[in-house]
Amino acid sequence: MTIFQLLLSFGLLSALNVDAFPQLNPNNVEDMVTSMSEKRDCQYSAIKKQSKRQISFDPGAQYVSTTGNHAFVAPNFLAGDQRGPCPSLNALANHGYLPHSGVADLLTITKAVNTVYSMGLDLGGFLAVYGTVFDGNILSLTPGYSIGGATLSQSILGLGGLLGTPTGLSGSHNNYEADTSPTRGDLYTTGNDYLLQVPQFQQYYDALTENMAAPDQYEALLPFRQARFNNSIEMNPYFFYPQFAGVLASPAGFAFPAAMMANHSKEYPDGYLDKETFKSFFAISGDSGAFTYKAGWEKIPDNWYKRPVADPYTIPGFVLDILKFGIQDPRLLSVGGNTGTTNTFTGVDLGALTKGVFDASTLTQGNNLACLVFQVVEAEAPDFLTSLYSDVTKALQPLTQNISSILDGLSCPQLNGIDTSQYTKFPGYNKAKAIR
Ligand code: HEM
Ligand SMILES: *[C@@H]1O[C@H](CO)[C@@H](O)[C@H](O)[C@H]1NC(C)=O
Ligand SMILES: *[C@@H]1O[C@H](CO)[C@@H](O)[C@H](O)[C@H]1NC(C)=O
Ligand SMILES: *[C@@H]1O[C@H](CO)[C@@H](O)[C@H](O)[C@H]1NC(C)=O
């Protein structure tokens, strides 16, 4: 039984099912949101009731060491240490849970995010395979990638099978790294996509509610998420929101801190992300209004207790978090972008993109969102990979295998390729493609 089936049998995903929602009509978002908000309250209480887990606090099992081998050691950039857009991976490298160099193999990364943050092996395993295939080297003896910029120097990566130097996460614009991130700037607006922008952090900090359980803190972040989305539309003529890096990955920056950076206690067995903990994980010091950012200095706070080991943050849990915002603002679930000037945001026609297999009006039903995103990743991969690997078929295999294990048992509508010509009206898509 897959995790999805398990959730379905608990009625968790089916709480988001067929008749529960009015038809999503992207042309009529406002009506939708209004009628949604009436059903939403009742939906939410249903989801919450069903997602109420038996969680208890076990300080011994949840304590994360920040001493001895795991004491903070600042990165040495002159020596080639890599740090990048993911604050959690940066912190792992600073605390010896990943190699200090910031270049690591995929099994070590999967294990580290599971051990330190209780990220599910399904989610961590997929994210690590994905990062390795697109931004590292899946064909080296110890496949892995750089959590920061392009490198071969500390090489576990080697050049075998690769056509060039792998980009690392920092150089992965539109395949991993996306516009409209919470604290990182849009590549074509700020000139880099991996450094924290202090004004954006300040906005996030202000939006973070206090004295409530972490899942409720996440839900309260919707206006901030929308403000960031609107800001990309208003400021970035090249704003592009792709299927994987946008629809699936960019919600991570909003959902993951509450889900996996929150501190746990008897009082808050579900976690509570207080502002000092939040600052520490984002390499921020100083007082609100006068924050200082030290790039790459992300720290796990002392006396920090992770998410319960028995309640890892899995793919289904993440999809649920994505849908919680998506049902309230359907723009967040659809591929789209500006068409060359600001304020021209246009969504793609999902029917045309998927050759009629998926339809925006049924995207929040059943497993459709997961079915769509993972199949699109698989469909788009060969095209991306021809510029990265000499043997595309071989490079593709681990990703295809992993995706089929995720899709197994979801009863997905079968995608027969996608029509990527739907993307060409977005200069942000063409621009990032041209880099490769
Ligand atoms: C193998 C596991 C992981 C990989 C490969 C990964 C990779 C990434 C990448 C590529 C980004 C940039 C995305 C973008 O531009 O929007 C990112 C952002 C982020 N990640 Fe991770 N990540 C992983 C695990 C985690 C975990 C476990 C957490 C939390 C404990 C986390 C928290 C975040 C946050 C908060 C951001 C947003 C940064 C910002 O813009 O403010 N990630 N991650
Ligand atoms: C692929 O995904 C599964 C879960 O679906 C995971 O357990 C496994 O470790 C992943 N494979 C690799 C090579 O990481
Ligand atoms: C973002 O833009 C949408 C659509 O124009 C609007 O409904 C919403 O109020 C805006 N939200 C924020 C937080 O700026
Ligand atoms: C986390 O909560 C515990 C109580 O379980 C508390 O002792 C500790 O100081 C908190 N840690 C942080 C980093 O706030």
Side-chain angles (χ1 to χ4, degrees), residues 86 88 117 119 145 176-178 181-184 253 256-257 260 282:
C86 183
S88 83
Y117 299 115
M119 177 180 256
Y145 57 91
Y176 219 142
E177 191 292 316
S181 306
T183 74
R184 269 58 181 172
F256 286 9
M260 291 176 285
F282 279 80

Side-chain angles (χ1 to χ4, degrees), residues 46 60 65 83 103 116 120 160-161 165 177 185 216 254-256 260 263 277 286 290 297-298 364:
S65 169
R83 299 293 182 269
V103 182
V116 176
T165 305
E177 191 292 316
D216 299 327
F254 301 86
F256 286 9
M260 291 176 285
N263 186 35
T277 296
W297 283 48
E298 289 81 359
T364 60

